[in-house]
Each structure stands twice: as structure tokens, then as C-alpha cells.
Amino acid sequence: MCKRIVVINAGSATLKVSLFQGEQKVLGILIDRLESNAEPHARIRDARGKPHFEGPIPARNRDQALAWLFQWIEQAGGDFRPDAIGHRIVHGGDTLTEPMRVTTEVMRQIEALIPLAPLHQPHNLAPIRFLVQRFPDLPQVACFDTSFHASQPRLERLFPLPRDYEQIGIRRYGFHGLSYESIASRLPGIDATAAAGRTVVCHLGNGASLCALRKGRSVATTMSFTTLDGIPMATRCGAIDPGLLLYLLDQGMNVATLSDLLYKKSGLLGISGVSGDMRDLLASSKPEAAEAVEYFCYRIAREVGSLTTALGGLDALVFTGGIGEHAAPVRAQVCERLRWLGLEIAAEANANHGTFLHTERSQVRVLVIPTDEEWVIARHTARLLPSQ
């Protein structure tokens, strides 16, 4: 029997929900404008993009939106009755290192990790709590963005701090693991050489990071203790001198203001002064916008070099995420900076967003592969259900 799975990815102002029949996605749902003064809005499409609903919904918060959604599924979903719910959880810490059924103890551990991911973890946890109350007998499965990186060697996970700090959980965790697992799972069917070799995956979107894979397993990644580290993002700073942060605090900036600066006012938005959206920057004629794009590509290329060292060489480079999949100029700039690796792409293939971008002469394979985190969550959720 094909399991019927609802996958929930809860953000601060959005709910992304997918309905799966087995491994086949049948509906995609986006509810946005939550926790704001605007009226929440829902958009529901089937796998072919056919609209099933679009418009405002009678909800003012996440719980009300979920109540509306499950009522809509019950009324309009025909034979679709979920067997289980799968959730994306950003942080699993040191103990939640694989997908698992939600229990009271698992919920407690997820809640205990809120200080490590304060902008994500509470929103990820909220739908679980709501559904436990609303549908107590419906199995729920938590899938963690950090768990894919648990295979990394110890040296990669250490910070150069006194050892006592490691004992309280201060170490490199890495994120976007469900996206990287999606690529690693699909790569053998797309390019066996890349799957079996040394590959760097560039997950480039509103949040962005890179991950080094050896035979499909995480060896190193650019994010570390929080989602602020690594390459610059839409509004997040990426790697920054910690001495600068001490300086700002010493000059009188408080922690709340500093957090707002680093998470919401930096990155592409901060450098450009125009937007954190790559589409806006590529369309802009302002030199600051062009500089933001150039800086973004430069930092990606630098990190590819670092991860190539961690891998001991590079066989393939994969672009994924909204920017990675759709922004040909970004891919072109990154690849141009990596020509020293013997990497070469075909301009036409890049402009047409082909799967394979490398030329015959290229010593590194270059691919564009759409990520599908929801599919990964649906697979794990179905696997953890009892056999019938």
C-alpha cells in the first residue's frame, strides 16, 4: 500500500506543505503572510501546476492556518487521508541524528535546542504541537537538517575553544542537510561518476551553503554552529570576523540589535542596499547590486577551493536551490573563477539551465540538479511507519 504522507516545512511567516502518495507528490501548498498584519493567503497546486485553490484564508496564526488546511484536505482531498505527517526540523543537535517518530521525549529535545536555532526551531516545533493536540493518533516524523552532517570527521566539527565548551554542544553542526541528502540520493541515477567521487554541492537560495560529499556522504560544509556562517546569503552575513562583533558590542550595540543586523540586514541586501533577492540584483543597473553579485560568487568560489582541499580533489560541482537552479549568470561567474581547477562550462547549456554544463575538455563535471527536501522527508516518514 502506498503511504499517504503530509510534509510540513514551517517558517516564520510561511507554511510549505506537500501531499505525497508514496513517493509521488500530488499537491503542493503554500500559506504565507502569517504572523503579520496582512490577511494570510493560500495557494494550492497539483503536481502538474493545476490550481486547486488560491486566495485569502480565515486564519491569523499558524494554528488557525493548519486547522483550515486539514479541513480543506478533508473536504476537497477526495480519498486522500494522511497516514502520517513528516516535518522539517532545522536543528537536531548531537542526539537527534536521524529521522525519528515524534514522542514526548523527542519534542522535549527539539525544544531544548531552541537556543541554538532561535529563528527556526520554534516555528518548526509549532505544527507538531498543534497536530499532537488535534490528531493525537496520527504518527508524526521529525527529519533534521543537521543529521546528514553527522558523518563528518571529528576535526571538521571542532571549534578551537577550550574543550569544556564542546561538552555543552558548541561545535560545527552544518545545515541544509535534507537538501544535500536529496542530491546525494538522486545523483547515482544522474551521474554515476559524480555520485561515486568527490563532489561539492552548492545550495544557493535565500539561505545558502556548500557541502563536500565523498561517495554521497558529508565530509565538510560551510555553515557551522548556526545558519549565519559560511557564504553570504540574502540577508545573512555569512562568515565574519568575531572581533568585529566584539567591537560592535563594545561600542554599545546590544545583542538584539546585533542579531537583527546579522540575520536580517546583511548579506546581499546589506552590500547592495537594493535587495536580498538575486533576481532583483541581476536586473538592477546599480553598481552596488553588481558588486553584491560579484562578492557572492567570489565567496562561493573561495569556499569551493576550501572544500576541494577537504576532499583531496574535485570530480564534480553541483548547483541547486533557487539561485543555483535558475541564475545562469551566478553559475557562470562561479565557474569562471574555478577555471584553475580545469573546470569549463558551455555557455549555451548554462543559459538553457541544462542538467550537464561541463564541456568535453572540462576536468570537473558541472551539473544543475533541483533539490527536493519534501521528497526526502516523505521517504523517511513512510519508512518509519509500521508495515501493514
Side-chain angles (χ1 to χ4, degrees):
M1 174 184 173
C2 286
K3 304 295 186 182
R4 296 160 297 192
I5 307 296
V6 174
V7 173
I8 297 177
N9 183 352
S12 59
T14 63
L15 279 171
K16 295 179 182 178
V17 182
S18 298
L19 276 59
F20 283 81
Q21 188 86 36
E23 294 192 9
Q24 181 65 43
K25 184 177 178 179
V26 295
L27 282 179
I29 301 156
L30 174 65
I31 300 176
D32 58 9
R33 303 175 190 169
L34 294 170
E35 312 296 343
S36 70
N37 294 325
E39 190 171 25
H41 181 275
R43 186 181 69 209
I44 302 175
R45 300 281 189 273
D46 66 18
R48 296 182 178 180
K50 177 183 177 182
H52 285 254
F53 178 90
E54 183 157 4
I57 62 173
R60 288 297 177 189
N61 56 45
R62 188 173 289 99
D63 285 0
Q64 292 176 11
L66 281 169
W68 176 88
L69 175 60
F70 276 85
Q71 184 178 25
W72 186 92
I73 292 172
E74 185 176 342
Q75 294 175 348
D79 294 331
F80 193 97
R81 297 290 184 272
D83 294 308
I85 312 292
H87 298 267
R88 175 188 177 234
I89 308 296
V90 165
H91 217 305
D94 287 327
T95 57
L96 304 175
T97 57
E98 60 184 17
M100 56 186 61
R101 288 279 296 268
V102 172
T103 63
T104 301
E105 174 58 21
V106 169
M107 289 176 64
R108 186 196 67 75
Q109 291 185 54
I110 293 172
E111 184 175 14
L113 292 166
I114 287 176
L116 300 188
L119 299 186
H120 298 88
Q121 206 82 343
H123 304 301
N124 299 160
L125 186 59
I128 296 178
R129 288 173 169 157
F130 170 80
L131 291 167
V132 164
Q133 296 296 319
R134 184 70 178 268
F135 305 106
D137 297 325
L138 189 62
Q140 298 190 67
V141 171
C143 299
F144 305 94
D145 254 336
T146 50
S147 63
F148 183 72
H149 304 296
S151 62
Q152 291 181 358
R154 173 172 168 76
L155 286 182
E156 179 60 34
R157 307 199 76 192
L158 282 176
F159 279 125
L161 295 170
R163 289 184 178 271
D164 290 350
Y165 289 89
E166 184 186 2
Q167 301 304 313
I168 58 173
I170 297 179
R171 64 188 67 191
R172 297 177 62 92
Y173 290 100
F175 299 90
H176 291 141
L178 294 168
S179 175
Y180 294 127
E181 184 178 354
S182 167
I183 301 302
S185 298
R186 298 170 62 202
L187 203 51
I190 298 172
D191 190 321
T193 300
R198 301 160 298 182
T199 297
V200 170
V201 182
C202 304
H203 174 102
L204 309 179
N206 187 56
S209 67
L210 281 67
C211 183
L213 304 180
R214 180 182 290 116
K215 296 182 179 180
R217 292 172 64 84
S218 176
V219 171
T221 190
T222 56
M223 284 181 171
S224 60
F225 183 66
T226 72
T227 58
L228 274 179
D229 202 6
I231 61 174
M233 292 159 257
T235 62
R236 285 177 252 168
C237 61
I240 195 167
D241 182 352
L244 170 60
L245 310 184
L246 294 175
Y247 172 80
L248 293 174
L249 291 171
D250 188 57
Q251 293 299 304
M253 183 177 287
N254 60 42
V255 172
T257 303
L258 181 59
S259 176
D260 187 62
L261 169 67
L262 301 179
Y263 276 101
K264 299 180 180 179
K265 296 179 180 178
S266 298
L268 296 175
L269 173 62
I271 294 176
S272 70
V274 174
S275 174
D277 191 311
M278 181 58 70
R279 293 167 295 187
D280 295 337
L281 299 180
L282 291 173
S284 175
S285 60
K286 292 187 175 183
E288 295 86 354
E291 186 173 54
V293 175
E294 184 178 12
Y295 182 77
F296 182 67
C297 296
Y298 169 65
R299 294 299 307 189
I300 292 168
R302 274 194 59 174
E303 291 296 340
V304 171
S306 172
L307 295 177
T308 297
T309 299
L311 288 168
L314 186 65
D315 300 308
L317 182 69
V318 176
F319 290 95
T320 194
I323 297 173
E325 294 166 30
H326 303 295
V330 169
R331 295 194 298 259
Q333 282 200 44
V334 171
C335 290
E336 179 61 29
R337 289 185 176 276
L338 295 172
R339 288 181 70 90
W340 63 274
L341 280 169
L343 185 154
E344 182 180 287
I345 63 171
E348 184 177 357
N350 185 44
N352 292 329
H353 308 292
T355 299
F356 298 97
L357 305 187
H358 52 275
T359 66
E360 291 184 1
R361 295 188 300 272
S362 182
Q363 297 177 39
V364 177
R365 307 174 73 78
V366 184
L367 299 90
V368 178
I369 303 176
T371 189
D372 195 342
E373 296 158 303
E374 288 79 12
W375 171 75
V376 171
I377 295 170
R379 290 180 71 198
H380 284 307
T381 302
R383 177 177 57 83
L384 289 172
L385 292 180
S387 301
Q388 296 182 353

